[in-house]
Amino acid sequence: MSKISVQNDDFDIGAEIELIRQSRTDIGAVVSFTGTVRDTLGDLSSMTLEHYPGMTEKELERIAATAYERWPILDCTIIHRVGRMEPGDNIVLVITASPHRKAAFESAEFLMDFLKTNATIWKKEATNKGENWVDAKSSDDDALERW
């Protein structure tokens, strides 16, 4: 079972973990990753994320299904925000639950690596110099190669 959501609203990390853990005693490890809007140069006023509705959710479901095939995960959550966000705001949440920590860690990292390169989400940054679309990073492509 998994939860996939592309949404404008922020998410509650603790509540999402509890949703996975509630009434289950077979989970031995829960790993979560939260991506946030970062302002490394001190000039970012906002970041706007756009997506291809329907296609983005379908791709996230495909990535989650692949993770279920590769690791003994019991549940996962992928929430990706879209719309305008400010530095420090949450962008993405990935949670995986497994009987063992190795599978939970590896599957969470796999989901993030594939999400960063395959999900149809585009980022536009607004700084004091203007707005620009963020290009894909070669380091993200490199991260995929190990899977």
Side-chain angles (χ1 to χ4, degrees):
M1 184 167 132
S2 60
K3 175 182 178 179
I4 308 289
S5 179
V6 179
Q7 61 191 45
N8 286 307
D9 296 330
D10 197 6
F11 46 80
D12 181 332
I13 300 162
E16 296 298 335
I17 289 173
E18 270 314 302
L19 276 175
I20 287 177
R21 294 183 56 181
Q22 67 185 12
S23 71
R24 294 195 69 153
T25 58
D26 55 345
I27 294 173
V30 176
V31 169
S32 69
F33 171 84
T34 306
T36 60
V37 178
R38 69 175 180 261
D39 180 14
T40 54
L41 300 176
D43 63 350
L44 182 70
S45 58
S46 68
M47 177 178 283
T48 301
L49 276 67
E50 296 184 8
H51 77 299
Y52 197 123
M55 180 182 279
T56 305
E57 292 85 347
K58 197 170 208 163
E59 181 60 16
L60 295 178
E61 289 168 4
R62 189 191 67 74
I63 295 167
T66 302
Y68 275 97
E69 291 171 9
R70 296 178 82 169
W71 290 275
I73 55 175
L74 301 171
D75 206 339
C76 80
T77 295
I78 302 172
I79 300 174
H80 208 301
R81 293 183 64 200
V82 293
R84 185 181 181 282
M85 288 163 259
E86 297 181 355
D89 286 350
N90 293 323
I91 301 174
V92 63
L93 175 65
V94 168
I95 303 170
T96 57
S98 173
H100 304 287
R101 70 173 184 243
K102 184 175 181 184
F105 275 117
E106 288 179 359
S107 59
E109 196 167 12
F110 168 86
L111 289 169
M112 273 311 305
D113 285 344
F114 272 78
L115 190 155
K116 289 224 29 153
T117 55
N118 291 8
T120 51
I121 295 173
W122 301 275
K123 297 178 186 175
K124 183 167 53 175
E125 293 179 338
T127 68
N128 55 10
K129 297 174 188 161
E131 294 183 345
N132 67 294
W133 290 101
V134 177
D135 291 328
K137 295 178 182 167
S138 62
S139 59
D140 292 336
D141 292 328
D142 295 343
L144 277 186
E145 290 185 21
R146 70 186 170 118
W147 302 110

